Amino acid sequence: MEEPGRGARPILLKDLLREKHWQTYRRFCREYDKAAARIDKDLVGTFPSDSTYRRWLSGRIVGIPRTEPCAVLEGMFPQYTIDQLFEPPGNDDHVSSAEKNVPAPVQHSIPGGVPLGATAALTAGDAIISQGEVEDAMKRKEFLVGLAATAAAPGVLLSSSVPMRVSSTDVVRYRENLAHLYALDDHYGGSSEVYGLTVRSLRHLVCVLDTASYHPAVGDELRSVMGQVMEHAGWLSFDANRSRDARYWWLEALHTARMSDDRDVEVVVLASMSCAASKYGRAREAVDLACSARRVAEDHRLTPRLRSLLAAREALGHAHLGDAAATRQSLGQAYADLDETPHDDDPEWLSFWGPADLAAGHASRIGRHLGDLTMAESAAREALEAVGARYPRNRALYQANLASVLIARRNMDEAIPAVTEAAQQATQVNSGRLTGRIHTLVRDLHSSHGHVPAVRELAEWTATNLPTAADHQD
């Protein structure tokens, strides 16, 4: 009901809808019904009339909705209460519950990578989660508002209560939670918030395994999910340039996978460790890990798409070793297998693998190592054309990769704008790999072209707007 004499006032709901581009009445009703179906199918179609909806967004109402829309609106934006949604935005008293639950970072040391089992992983997780870098308060709030607007949010924030009995249905929910975590990484990168959600999900799984009752087959499924969450924690650490944390989680995941004889988890861990080994200059280890992953997969399920990824990881290792013949053979195999039609047996975690990642993450880097800058530039441009909109962090990485090649080719007319664009994109995601690369590119530009006004301005802008990516290596 409209309040007599009351003028329009902004409300948080209007801002959130605008950020998601849901503000038109037709689109709002569609998203409303999606949320309603997740809560109770009887709530589908209970959205307000067009005129009532306009009064909501104008702030010309007395109080807040108290009927069916209340539950649905809270389902659409789960870390805000209905009261908060109808209050003005920016009110410090209405900080979301998700933001309040992010622990303040403090310094701790962590175990050095020896597999300790599930109970020890819980303790280690408490220490590791606090090592995330302190982000600017505004950036954190913007991130959480964005998180609120994704469909992933309800699945990520697992209940703190541990069920007494766990069934296969619960395992499905945990797998959906893992898919949400993957989606957040795709969009936001290895931020401390995404990492924190991942470790809290892992804590929950550890408690379930330790205290709940379940059929032995369900227990194996739970350990499989836990191994995948551990692997993902390792990948997020790698993306944030925390190599010790990454190695610790990957070894824990490998230990869990072998305890439950889970070949899928073992393969993805070995593949991730191979990628990291190449980055950190351990070329022989990178090749050995990729070959080990292929042997494990051959005994389980080695689909063409998986074979393509493992061949590409092996090619990177050979390139670092300077073995051009072996590099080109493995890279050719990676391209040949990627042309195959996706297989029904492809593991879910492999969905990211495609032409863009093969071109930028592997072929372009290999071209640089082999001294073939023409190949490196062609692959870098191919990657930018192929990368999907759902991977903004990867797009920024590929843009930085192209900039690096252009600098090496002394094409400064394109290199300076390319670095600038990558730096601007880096402010929208959180990736230590990305910010580290950009800082390196800017330093290289400044050392050779510091007299150029655009380079000086870029160096000043980067120092002010991008955090320094500290690499905590072993």
Side-chain angles (χ1 to χ4, degrees):
M1 179 176 181
E2 188 171 345
E3 182 177 356
R6 178 175 175 174
R9 64 178 185 131
I11 61 171
L12 178 61
L13 175 62
K14 183 176 181 179
D15 283 0
L16 295 176
L17 290 170
R18 184 185 296 114
E19 286 169 6
K20 287 298 294 178
H21 305 291
W22 293 352
Q23 67 268 33
T24 66
Y25 179 66
R26 189 172 180 179
R27 180 61 186 272
F28 167 79
C29 292
R30 194 158 62 238
E31 298 301 329
Y32 180 102
D33 278 349
K34 289 180 184 177
R38 291 195 297 266
I39 300 169
D40 184 344
K41 291 184 178 179
D42 289 340
L43 294 176
V44 174
T46 60
F47 45 77
S49 67
D50 190 1
S51 59
T52 299
Y53 176 66
R54 286 199 300 271
R55 287 200 302 273
W56 282 5
L57 298 193
S58 70
R60 297 177 183 274
I61 60 171
V62 177
I64 57 176
R66 291 296 181 186
T67 54
E68 290 87 350
C70 177
V72 180
L73 288 172
E74 289 186 338
M76 292 173 71
F77 304 102
Q79 70 268 56
Y80 294 99
T81 67
I82 193 67
D83 300 88
Q84 292 168 353
L85 290 173
F86 282 83
E87 287 295 327
N91 189 337
D92 290 339
D93 293 334
H94 299 146
V95 176
S96 70
S97 60
E99 184 173 357
K100 292 177 181 177
N101 288 335
V102 175
V106 295
Q107 295 299 318
H108 289 282
S109 59
I110 63 168
V114 179
L116 301 176
T119 303
L122 174 62
T123 304
D126 289 334
I128 295 174
I129 188 174
S130 64
Q131 291 185 344
E133 297 177 359
V134 179
E135 295 185 356
D136 177 83
M138 184 58 68
K139 292 285 288 183
R140 182 185 297 274
K141 198 160 191 174
E142 289 174 357
F143 167 84
L144 289 166
V145 170
L147 179 60
T150 67
V156 173
L157 304 177
L158 289 172
S159 170
S160 59
S161 62
V162 177
M164 297 181 62
R165 179 77 181 175
V166 178
S167 66
S168 295
T169 302
D170 296 306
V171 175
V172 170
R173 183 167 64 92
Y174 294 138
R175 290 194 183 280
E176 290 174 349
N177 176 71
L178 177 62
H180 295 325
L181 293 172
Y182 287 155
L184 288 174
D185 172 46
D186 291 339
H187 192 85
Y188 295 107
S191 72
S192 58
E193 283 82 6
V194 176
Y195 180 70
L197 291 172
T198 302
V199 175
R200 285 198 287 277
S201 295
L202 181 57
R203 288 195 193 121
H204 181 90
L205 287 168
V206 169
C207 290
V208 168
L209 278 163
D210 283 350
T211 63
S213 62
Y214 41 79
H215 188 276
V218 172
D220 288 339
E221 292 182 59
L222 285 170
R223 276 182 283 273
S224 174
V225 175
M226 186 170 74
Q228 292 176 72
V229 177
M230 286 177 171
E231 191 283 326
H232 189 55
W235 180 259
L236 292 172
S237 299
F238 171 68
D239 188 51
N241 268 340
R242 298 195 307 270
S243 62
R244 290 182 181 176
D245 293 8
R247 189 172 181 84
Y248 169 78
W249 283 121
W250 283 333
L251 289 174
E252 282 293 308
L254 199 60
H255 173 66
T256 301
R258 288 174 175 170
M259 282 181 61
S260 56
D261 195 27
D262 191 319
R263 304 297 179 85
D264 283 336
V265 173
E266 188 171 355
V267 169
V268 64
V269 171
L270 293 171
S272 295
M273 293 180 74
S274 174
C275 181
S278 289
K279 178 185 176 182
Y280 297 129
R282 299 193 293 268
R284 177 61 63 187
E285 181 181 337
V287 173
D288 291 344
L289 286 165
C291 291
S292 295
R294 187 176 63 249
R295 286 194 297 271
V296 174
E298 284 172 347
D299 292 338
H300 181 51
R301 53 172 178 175
L302 182 59
T303 66
R305 195 178 185 86
L306 179 55
R307 189 165 57 235
S308 170
L309 170 68
L310 299 179
R313 296 284 160 88
E314 186 177 347
L316 269 182
H318 287 310
H320 280 270
L321 287 171
D323 189 338
T327 299
R328 294 188 185 279
Q329 180 179 354
S330 295
L331 186 60
Q333 186 67 56
Y335 272 106
D337 285 330
L338 190 60
D339 288 339
E340 298 279 349
T341 303
H343 199 280
D344 290 341
D345 284 344
D346 284 337
E348 292 182 11
W349 60 265
L350 196 59
S351 61
F352 78 94
W353 183 245
D357 200 76
L358 175 54
H362 297 78
S364 184
R365 290 170 60 189
I366 285 169
R368 292 288 303 276
H369 282 290
L370 297 182
D372 188 342
L373 294 181
T374 300
M375 169 188 171
E377 182 178 346
S378 176
R381 294 186 187 279
E382 176 190 341
L384 276 175
E385 292 178 1
V387 65
R390 61 175 287 200
Y391 299 110
R393 185 264 315 277
N394 286 3
R395 172 173 288 279
L397 281 168
Y398 300 164
Q399 183 69 42
N401 178 63
L402 174 60
S404 177
V405 177
L406 293 171
I407 291 173
R409 303 203 74 173
R410 302 185 185 280
N411 181 356
M412 295 304 158
D413 288 342
E414 283 193 80
I416 295 173
V419 176
T420 301
E421 184 173 349
Q424 291 172 339
Q425 291 174 358
T427 63
Q428 306 303 312
V429 295
N430 192 317
S431 169
R433 284 188 297 158
L434 175 59
T435 54
R437 173 72 66 85
I438 291 172
H439 279 297
T440 298
L441 293 175
V442 172
R443 282 196 300 269
D444 291 345
L445 279 175
H446 195 264
S447 63
S448 59
H449 293 77
H451 61 283
V452 178
V455 172
R456 290 200 304 270
E457 292 175 7
L458 176 60
E460 293 173 0
W461 184 92
T462 303
T464 302
N465 292 278
L466 288 184
T468 301
D471 186 2
H472 305 156
Q473 296 189 31
D474 291 344

